Each structure stands twice: as structure tokens, then as C-alpha cells.
Amino acid sequence: MISKTMEAALNHQIALEGYASQYYMAMASWCDREGFEGAAQFLHFQSEEEREHMLKIFHYLSEVDGFAITPAIEQPPLEFKNIQEVFSLVFEHEKKVTKSINDLVAICYKEHDYNTLNFLQWYVEEQREEENQARSILDKINLIGEGGQSKYYIDKELTKFYQAALAKEAAGEEGA
Ligand code: OFO
């Protein structure tokens, strides 16, 4: 049986992960319209991942006799200044999620909820990777700069990030 405090905190996380999925989907659509095909593929992939993160907590709550709340669909921003802004926002959002996961871990200690603490270890690791990935993408975008063919090269790099994410997912599935 999970405490009401922990249940509420996990439901808050469900909403945050769900919003990340919507947010990245909106960014993917913007990228698609602006001709950033690789970036759009990458962001659609991330959007799916965030939905999975949301569902993982959803199912966990049911397993521990909690009540998982389906979050409202909040309209994310639809327009962005440029591709730099898109990935700065991704990075900011991932940092926000990391902070929220750390807060959940702190609640686990406070409540002596070692089941949930154990469950959250996966998220701690995942956030380290996702924050690092977002930072690497931003570094690449900044390195390429704003020259004539920069959009082309940025999108090429994003295609590589997408392919690496796909490969990582496939390797995880084989190992499972
Ligand atoms: Fe990238 O946020 Fe989920 O955990």
C-alpha cells in the first residue's frame, strides 16, 4: 500500500512525463514544417519514450494499490524561434524532470518507501542519459553555428542522434 503523499507525488510525475510527450510532439511538428526531417524523427521518438515513462509510473501505481490519474491534455507551445530554441527548451525540460525525480527520491527516504525508491532507480539513470543527450545536441548545434548550410548539417547530426537512440532501444530489447 502506497502512502497518499507518495501517490500524489507520482501522479504529479505522470503529468510531467505526459506533458513532455506532448511538448516533444509539438516540437517534432514544428521541425517537420521547417524541413528538419531528422530532428522531427528524433523528437517523435523522444515523445514516444516520454509516453512510456508516463505509463511505467501509471502501471506501478496500480501494482502498489494506488490510484493512477490520467492527466489532462495541456496545449504545448506550437511555434519556436529556431532549432536552437527547440533544443534549449528540451534541455530545460529534461533538467526540470531530473529535479522532479530527485524530489521523488527524497520523499521515498522521508516516507521509508523503499519499494518506490527501488522503482525510481531506473528514472535516475534514464534522466542522467537524457540530460546528457540534450546537452550534447545543444553543443553540436552551437558548434555548427549559423552559417549558410548550418540547417542542413544540424539536421544531419539530429538524424545520427535518432539512429543512435533506435540502436540503443533495439539493444535494450535484445538484452531483455
Ligand atoms: Fe525525459 O523525462 Fe521522462 O523521465
Side-chain angles (χ1 to χ4, degrees):
M1 183 77 189
I2 196 154
S3 77
K4 285 291 159 203
T5 308
M6 199 72 237
E7 182 186 76
L10 287 172
N11 273 316
H12 174 261
Q13 191 65 28
I14 285 177
L16 198 57
E17 304 283 352
Y19 182 73
S21 178
Q22 294 288 108
Y23 200 17
Y24 297 167
M25 188 164 70
M27 289 173 177
S29 183
W30 181 89
C31 287
D32 207 19
R33 193 190 67 199
E34 299 296 315
F36 290 104
E37 209 178 299
Q41 281 178 316
F42 175 82
L43 286 161
H44 272 303
F45 181 88
Q46 285 305 124
S47 169
E48 285 293 324
E49 289 247 300
E50 299 301 348
R51 180 174 155 75
E52 282 170 24
H53 298 172
M54 174 184 74
L55 287 176
K56 219 174 152 84
I57 306 172
F58 208 89
H59 294 309
Y60 173 77
L61 266 177
S62 305
E63 206 182 313
V64 294
D65 205 16
F67 181 55
I69 296 173
T70 306
I73 296 182
E74 193 183 329
Q75 172 82 76
L78 303 176
E79 296 293 340
F80 304 92
K81 265 201 306 254
N82 50 37
I83 195 81
Q84 283 85 352
E85 186 187 52
V86 169
F87 283 94
S88 301
L89 291 170
V90 169
F91 186 39
E92 287 312 311
H93 199 267
E94 289 302 328
K95 286 196 284 187
K96 184 175 172 182
V97 173
T98 302
K99 189 191 171 306
S100 179
I101 296 287
N102 289 340
D103 290 347
L104 283 173
V105 168
I107 298 173
C108 290
Y109 282 111
K110 213 172 143 211
E111 302 247 318
H112 301 284
D113 184 345
Y114 302 112
N115 249 337
T116 306
L117 180 67
N118 195 33
F119 167 74
L120 288 173
Q121 293 314 303
W122 183 88
Y123 285 85
V124 171
E125 174 78 15
E126 181 73 8
Q127 274 317 114
R128 185 181 55 74
E129 287 176 15
E130 291 207 331
E131 235 191 86
N132 182 41
Q133 176 178 253
R135 190 184 304 110
S136 304
I137 292 174
L138 257 189
D139 286 349
K140 274 271 188 297
I141 292 176
N142 290 332
L143 209 65
I144 292 170
E146 291 180 2
Q149 289 184 312
S150 62
K151 285 186 178 175
Y152 171 78
Y153 287 112
I154 288 171
D155 201 48
K156 239 173 123 78
E157 288 302 323
L158 260 306
T159 302
K160 285 189 211 161
F161 277 100
Y162 169 58
Q163 285 163 349
L166 275 185
K168 191 186 145 213
E169 189 189 47
E173 273 168 15
E174 272 165 31

